[in-house]
Amino acid sequence: MEATKRKLPITRPSMMMFQPYKQNIKCFLIVTALVVGLILSVQLILMIK
Amino acid sequence: MHGLAISDIIILFAYFALLIVIGILSHKKVTNQSDFYIGGRKFGKFLIMMQQFGAGTSNTHPILVAGAVYTFGMAGIWYSWLYMLFTPIMFLLLPIIRRMRIYTTADFFDLRYGKGIAPFFSISSLASVSVATGTILIGMGQVVEGMTGGKIPLNTTVLVAGVVGLLYGCIGGMVAAAFADCIQGFLIVALSFMLLPPMWVKVGGFEGLHNVLPPEMFSLAMPSSPMADPAKTIGLFAIFMLFINGMLSNLAEGTVQTLQVAKDESTLQWGYLFGIMLKRVCTVGWAFVGLFSLVIWPKLDNPELCFGMAAKQFLPTGFSGLMVAAMFAAGMSTVSALQVIASAIFTRNLYAKYFVKNKPDSHYLLVARLAGLALVVAGTITAYQFASVTKSVEFWWKLTAMIGPAMLIGLFFYRGNSWGAWASIVVSFGIWFYLDRYLGPTDPKWKTVWYQSAVYIPAAVVSYFVVSLLTKPEDENKLARFFARLNTPVGQEQVLVEAGLEPKEG
């Protein structure tokens, strides 16, 4: 009975690997924006004559 | 004296002394293998940030980027930025990597695929770390040679840097390497940007640059035209392939091991992000050094010398000594980090597993330190086998990228097995060898990373899936243990213990 109540880990690839989802998605977008922003700003600086 | 002022030399020696002190102080924190290899998994955000910035910012990067921009125009920045596009994906992978709860990257292969592939990875990893060490030592020699007008020869630099890096790495392990990374990180940031104002004035600002250089030199992606030489054009195709190759190579080199130092997942994500972004910003400074150099010294035989020459000519007295010191430190901190990575792989995954088992922790700690010594010697010998830093770095990228698919796909594809992993490595290596040896000499584009990887990476992925599906799956219990770790956040190890899958965190 005790064994069935016990929280067992998932033993195959699953979306649990990406938990906590909300935080990860939010941060993923921030990081993407930072990367794109850096590339665009450098290209803009290079266009200054 | 030696092309440096007395004040420069004093600064240089003070720096070496400081590094040795760091090594000795860190020594007190190293009481077992875990402390030596992964800093006892206690690093906070700041240390991880500086470790990621420092370990990823060896002295080869300013040389590589400035040299590539000198040759290709601003698109050469992708020689260092190639990892940047991978950052958002890496941000999601970091918790998974930390949840592996391993000491070395070879442990991953041991957990996921079984013993056959882990020893192979360990041996190839030792070889690739030797190439990397050699590259860094050569790069350091080139900068110092450039800065001192050849008065401090390459051989002297390689010897001094090898010995000092070895000393504090051997004594202090990953903790010493991380603290040295902090110091060199700050120095490299400051000194890289200090070069820009005087060079800017010399070339006459953006107006001066645009008057002398053709427009394509200012594009981050060189527009390809039918007339352009594909071997000398970094267009969108080349950037894409550098990104894919970089992502796979990043996983298979020591990164997975260095990320095990974090105390928790969130700390790792934010520390890593800030460290990596800091490096990307610095890269812009190095790229401009290359662009300015092209205007100031338009006909350099070896573009890789331009960063050192700029530092010598445009930094005030005292600061050039500091720049030489920073270059030494950048190289040595990376050498010592690589040495810790390789000594861990040698000791845990080869020595303790196949040769001398069940000895006390102190025995393996001593073996790890001695293995580090052997590695630096091997790296120094390797250093002389490569004609240039760029060629050597490219070779390392390719070697590690061939192992990457087995790591990345193995995280998500349950049916993937050792045979698939072997097939992906063997097929990609065979294809690379054919392209490099037989097509490369007649058509130079087949010598470039982007053209080669466009063939060997898809071939590796396809052979991984096909062979895995056609052969016997891995043992279910083994896979259960591996995937249970990936699904269980750091700090919830009790769940694994209660399920009988893992007794304690490593």
Side-chain angles (χ1 to χ4, degrees), chain A residues 5-33:
Chain A
K5 278 183 186 172
R6 192 182 292 159
K7 190 183 165 192
L8 287 171
I10 298 169
T11 53
R12 295 179 74 94
S14 78
M15 287 306 285
M16 283 288 286
M17 285 158 63
F18 294 101
Q19 267 196 338
Y21 310 121
K22 228 177 191 178
Q23 188 190 316
N24 276 339
I25 290 169
K26 193 173 78 182
C27 298
F28 174 80
L29 294 175
I30 294 172
V31 177
T32 308

Side-chain angles (χ1 to χ4, degrees), chain B residues 431-447:
Chain B
I431 287 176
W432 166 77
F433 189 79
Y434 173 75
L435 296 174
D436 201 74
R437 287 295 166 96
Y438 297 102
L439 293 189
T442 49
D443 188 351
K445 76 178 181 193
W446 291 111
K447 281 269 182 190

Side-chain angles (χ1 to χ4, degrees), chain B residues 17 41 69 137 213 307 317 431 486-488:
Chain B
R41 299 194 205 272
V69 168
L137 292 173
L213 300 176
F307 192 86
T317 310
I431 287 176
L486 302 193
N487 281 301
T488 310

Side-chain angles (χ1 to χ4, degrees), chain B residues 177-197:
Chain B
F179 276 109
D181 278 339
C182 286
I183 299 169
Q184 67 94 356
F186 280 122
L187 276 177
I188 294 261
V189 175
L191 295 171
S192 296
F193 284 96
M194 274 181 69
L195 274 174
L196 297 182

Side-chain angles (χ1 to χ4, degrees), chain B residues 404-459:
Chain B
M407 290 196 75
L408 188 60
I409 308 171
L411 289 177
F412 305 103
F413 183 50
Y414 186 79
R415 188 63 178 77
N417 65 13
S418 309
W419 293 110
W422 274 117
S424 71
I425 294 166
V426 171
V427 166
S428 53
F429 188 83
I431 287 176
W432 166 77
F433 189 79
Y434 173 75
L435 296 174
D436 201 74
R437 287 295 166 96
Y438 297 102
L439 293 189
T442 49
D443 188 351
K445 76 178 181 193
W446 291 111
K447 281 269 182 190
T448 61
V449 183
W450 41 98
Y451 272 91
Q452 289 183 347
S453 59
V455 183
Y456 68 68
I457 290 174

Side-chain angles (χ1 to χ4, degrees), chain A residues 35-36 38-40 42-43 46, chain B residues 61 64-66 68-69 72-87 218-222 233-244 246 279-280 283-284 287 393 397 449-450:
Chain A
V35 169
V36 173
L38 181 62
I39 296 171
L40 289 180
V42 169
Q43 187 60 74
L46 286 167
Chain B
H61 287 90
L64 186 71
V65 174
V69 168
F72 296 109
M74 272 309 268
I77 201 170
W78 291 102
Y79 266 74
S80 179
W81 266 11
L82 80 170
Y83 294 126
M84 185 168 72
L85 298 174
F86 177 44
T87 310
F218 297 90
S219 171
L220 285 177
M222 287 170 84
T233 307
I234 301 185
L236 288 177
F237 163 69
I239 292 169
F240 180 73
M241 285 322 301
L242 283 172
F243 154 59
I244 299 287
K279 181 183 169 185
R280 304 313 168 212
T283 308
V284 180
V393 169
W397 285 345
V449 183
W450 41 98

Side-chain angles (χ1 to χ4, degrees), chain B residues 352-412:
Chain B
K353 203 149 214 160
Y354 300 104
F355 299 107
V356 182
K357 298 175 185 175
N358 305 320
K359 287 275 180 186
D361 208 60
S362 56
H363 172 84
Y364 293 120
L365 195 54
L366 178 67
V367 170
R369 286 180 162 139
L370 292 175
L373 173 76
L375 172 87
V376 172
V377 173
T380 312
I381 295 166
T382 314
Y384 293 97
Q385 307 300 313
F386 289 91
S388 86
V389 169
T390 314
K391 291 287 162 224
S392 164
V393 169
E394 283 181 357
F395 178 72
W396 193 33
W397 285 345
K398 293 171 195 168
L399 203 69
T400 46
M402 291 169 200
I403 300 169
M407 290 196 75
L408 188 60
I409 308 171
L411 289 177
F412 305 103

